[in-house]
Amino acid sequence: MQCLLDMDGVLVDFVSGICAAHQVASPYPANNGDYVAIERIVGSATKFWAPANTAEFWDELEPMPDFKEILAAVEGAFGRENICILSSPSLSELCIVGKLRWIARHMPDYKRRFLFGPCKEFCAAVDRVLIDDADTNVKRFGAAGGQTILLPRPWNSDHLLSLHPVQVLRHRIGALRPAMTLSEHIKTESNN
């Protein structure tokens, strides 16, 4: 089984970075389950994304406090060779440059194991699992036929579990339904 692993909100602390850039306090946990709480505090999407229009913004974001634990859990379950970073860039062309620098610095084993694009569901398959913090990404990926794990964070629908995201992640990895490999699927189809 292959694992597609999100960056922002899963491995990278985007929330703290964007709050610091706007000099506002984090709206969580007061706004648990509200994915766009920060954007509303700032006032508009244009104003919200303005500090993120540089490569340095994305490159200098801190890892999530549980970054190492999450990566260890995922690598232990899937094997490093079966993991690819899958991240949706902002509209700034410099975002990808910054994300690539971040990966090279914090995850050098993955500097050639990444995909960037907003349509994560295009990567969905029965033998692929997406680990993401955005409810919409998880729903779309699942609807397209992939397996999903929503990592609990204060801004998503699993916010009540966000005090123990690594434990929830490990449990959810263990509960994944066995996926057929492509060759198994072809054999099954040809026998019918």
Side-chain angles (χ1 to χ4, degrees):
M1 183 179 293
Q2 295 175 325
C3 177
L4 299 163
L5 188 58
D6 181 37
M7 287 181 71
D8 302 314
V10 173
L11 303 173
V12 182
D13 194 352
F14 174 78
V15 170
S16 293
I18 200 71
C19 286
H22 286 291
Q23 300 177 341
V24 298
S26 173
Y28 306 106
N31 292 291
N32 273 340
D34 186 353
Y35 197 75
V36 293
I38 302 167
E39 191 173 313
R40 269 200 313 285
I41 289 170
V42 173
S44 72
T46 303
K47 188 175 177 185
F48 173 79
W49 287 106
N53 287 332
T54 68
E56 290 72 28
F57 172 83
W58 297 98
D59 177 28
E60 294 171 3
L61 291 172
E62 293 295 322
M64 290 296 286
D66 52 12
F67 161 76
K68 288 182 181 178
E69 291 175 278
I70 288 171
L71 192 57
V74 173
E75 287 178 346
F78 297 97
R80 188 177 293 159
E81 69 280 4
N82 293 310
I83 301 167
C84 184
I85 302 302
L86 177 58
S87 185
S88 177
S90 72
L91 295 177
S92 169
E93 57 197 40
L94 296 173
C95 175
I96 291 176
V97 173
K99 284 179 180 264
L100 287 172
R101 289 179 190 163
W102 194 97
I103 291 169
R105 187 160 26 100
H106 295 283
M107 303 173 69
D109 292 336
Y110 293 87
K111 65 183 176 186
R112 298 292 296 159
R113 298 185 65 81
F114 60 84
L115 298 169
F116 292 118
C119 300
K120 295 181 180 187
E121 65 273 14
F122 283 23
C123 296
V126 69
D127 61 344
R128 289 193 195 126
V129 61
L130 171 67
I131 299 174
D132 206 300
D133 66 309
D135 290 287
T136 56
N137 291 338
V138 167
K139 287 176 188 170
R140 289 178 185 152
F141 196 88
Q147 298 188 61
T148 61
I149 295 176
L150 180 65
L151 185 71
R153 293 297 190 203
W155 45 85
N156 66 34
S157 62
D158 274 352
H159 59 88
L160 294 175
L161 302 172
S162 65
L163 292 177
H164 307 286
V166 178
Q167 293 87 334
V168 173
L169 175 64
R170 287 188 182 117
H171 173 77
R172 289 180 175 169
I173 289 172
L176 286 173
R177 68 181 192 275
M180 282 193 274
T181 64
L182 181 58
S183 60
E184 291 170 333
H185 183 69
I186 292 169
K187 280 183 191 176
T188 303
E189 289 297 312
S190 64
N191 290 335
N192 290 335

